[in-house]
Amino acid sequence: MTLVELREITQQYPGEARPAVDHLSLTLPSGSIVALLGMSGSGKTTLLKIIAGLLDPSAGDVCFDGVSVKHLPTEQRGAIMVFQNHLLFPHMTVAQNIGFGLKMRGVPRPVIDERVAHMLDLIQLPGLGHRRPTQLSGGQQQRVALARALIVEPRLLLLDEPLSNLDANLRDEMRELIRQVQRHFGITTLVVTHDQQDAVLLADHIALMRDGRLQQFGPPDALFYRPVDEQVARFFGGVNFIPGAAVEQLIHAALSTLGAPLPNTPGEVVLTIRPEQIQFCDPIQHPQALPGIVDHCQFMGTYYRHAVRVAPLSTPLIVHSHAPITAGTTVALCLPLEHLWVIAAGSAT
Ligand code: ADP
Ligand code: MG
């Protein structure tokens, strides 16, 4: 279990207009699994390489358990990185691949055999040690790469997009395996992904990166329900953004009847609410509900997605529900106060 602190890390690649990582500070709690989430090019791989010691940052410090490891070479840091394109040694068997790190450390053969067998069980590939990597599926190779990294009992596990080459079923399995293995060893783990669903399902905490900066860090539900800005909200599927002016004209009046805590400066805020938290309701029972007209309704597989026009909003509110409501129907919408979230306006999309 290792507490990892990144302090004001900056990485400026020569000749690049802007830094790939920009004054980024982040703490990975000891024994936790953290997802490093962000779009392609946001600096995730660069940051992983810096933590692993594969890249010396332009500025900033990396500390493990409060001690700087900045001047330690990769092999002395004990942070092991598993790359997106897991490169197994093709001329070795699966067992030899997994045991490679122990062999390099001069561990006796019987101990290696025993630990490799244990790892094969753990990654649910018992008895496949004699195969060559080419005789395994992509998902199985991914597991072997994970086992090969874990067998040396690193202080820190760094996984770069371990799920991105897998199809849906294998993704679920691999996610489960990573969690299971992480719990088994209690190892501090940083998993890079560009997929918010993977991040939510995998991690204790999510670090969301954009353009080399840390946008938000917290438990998955915090980023989901309490985004710091509109970009974060959109990244997590937020679609309803009600501008301050409309808040004043429309929602202010409706909300004030309920004694809601209202923004002091409505012009400078945006109100957001997730589509699954808006409810269709009976206007007689809920006189403060917002009147609207269903613009269109689409079946999404497990729910119906409605676009509802609500004057004076220029864009329809998106509302999810389990029953369809036909286009053209006049409806009343309840926006439960506990689900409304106020964010600063002007955080561009
Ligand atoms: P991510 O893993 O989030 O996709 P990267 O860390 O790979 O992002 O890249 C971040 C930015 O740094 C990108 O703009 C990329 O083009 C640039 N970059 C990455 N590696 C290098 C390099 N070796 N030399 C120059 N620029 C690089
Ligand atoms: Mg990358």
Side-chain angles (χ1 to χ4, degrees):
M1 304 254 267
T2 304
L3 173 85
V4 178
E5 290 161 281
L6 308 178
R7 298 182 184 159
E8 291 283 315
I9 302 277
T10 295
Q11 172 60 24
Q12 176 70 57
Y13 288 112
E16 292 292 310
R18 54 169 194 79
V21 177
D22 194 0
H23 293 87
L24 187 143
S25 295
L26 173 66
T27 300
L28 311 181
S30 183
S32 67
I33 179 161
V34 175
L36 186 58
L37 179 65
M39 288 189 280
S40 180
S42 55
K44 306 180 298 296
T45 298
T46 299
L47 192 64
L48 241 58
K49 286 183 180 166
I50 289 169
I51 301 170
L54 299 169
L55 184 66
D56 194 20
S58 317
D61 204 356
V62 179
C63 296
F64 291 178
D65 290 330
V67 178
S68 175
V69 295
K70 205 177 154 190
H71 301 291
L72 286 184
T74 313
E75 58 278 10
Q76 286 176 29
R77 289 196 189 187
I80 212 148
M81 182 158 169
V82 180
F83 286 93
Q84 189 165 356
N85 300 314
H86 47 89
L87 296 173
L88 299 176
F89 304 118
H91 57 286
M92 291 184 191
T93 64
V94 165
Q96 286 167 340
N97 266 283
I98 295 176
F100 183 74
L102 296 182
K103 193 174 169 200
M104 288 291 101
R105 287 165 174 75
V107 175
R109 178 73 194 269
V111 178
I112 296 181
D113 288 349
E114 193 189 311
R115 302 249 308 262
V116 167
H118 176 64
M119 287 310 301
L120 282 167
D121 282 344
L122 203 68
I123 60 167
Q124 291 152 26
L125 296 178
L128 293 191
H130 62 281
R131 292 220 189 149
R132 301 268 166 188
T134 49
Q135 295 171 305
L136 299 180
S137 70
Q140 290 172 329
Q141 291 182 30
Q142 201 77 287
R143 286 158 185 257
V144 173
L146 187 62
R148 186 177 60 176
L150 282 165
I151 202 162
V152 297
E153 298 180 1
R155 300 176 75 180
L156 175 64
L157 182 63
L158 305 165
L159 303 173
D160 197 2
E161 306 260 6
L163 304 164
S164 62
N165 296 329
L166 306 177
D167 62 31
N169 286 346
L170 282 176
R171 251 180 129 85
D172 290 349
E173 273 177 33
M174 188 66 186
R175 235 176 3 225
E176 194 42 48
L177 184 78
I178 292 171
R179 278 219 70 111
Q180 199 185 323
V181 159
Q182 193 268 339
R183 275 196 221 106
H184 182 88
F185 290 95
I187 184 173
T188 309
T189 302
L190 186 60
V191 184
V192 166
T193 175
H194 59 265
D195 184 296
Q196 52 102 350
Q197 172 92 347
D198 284 335
V200 166
L201 293 177
L202 253 176
D204 301 319
H205 293 86
I206 294 177
L208 182 63
M209 265 183 96
R210 189 184 169 96
D211 295 340
R213 298 205 185 92
L214 185 68
Q215 271 198 303
Q216 189 167 354
F217 179 73
D221 58 349
L223 279 80
F224 221 77
Y225 294 119
R226 299 185 293 284
V228 293
D229 60 27
E230 202 170 318
Q231 285 173 348
V232 176
R234 286 188 188 279
F235 203 90
F236 282 87
V239 281
N240 294 317
F241 300 98
I242 304 165
V247 171
E248 193 147 51
Q249 286 174 40
L250 178 78
I251 302 198
H252 229 245
L255 295 187
S256 57
T257 60
L258 297 172
L262 294 166
N264 295 328
T265 48
E268 291 162 21
V269 297
V270 167
L271 215 59
T272 185
I273 182 164
R274 296 195 61 87
E276 63 276 15
Q277 292 176 324
I278 301 180
Q279 293 154 9
F280 291 110
C281 57
D282 179 349
I284 311 282
Q285 282 180 24
H286 300 273
Q288 83 286 6
L290 303 177
I293 296 173
V294 176
D295 195 59
H296 60 266
C297 169
Q298 189 182 5
F299 181 50
M300 303 297 286
T302 51
Y303 61 90
Y304 293 87
R305 180 183 187 274
H306 304 86
V308 182
R309 276 184 280 126
V310 176
L313 303 183
S314 54
T315 47
L317 289 179
I318 304 300
V319 184
H320 294 175
S321 76
H322 292 296
I325 298 180
T326 324
T329 308
T330 298
V331 292
L333 299 178
C334 281
L335 280 57
L337 295 177
E338 66 274 25
H339 297 314
L340 283 169
W341 180 246
V342 177
I343 53 185
S347 53
T349 53

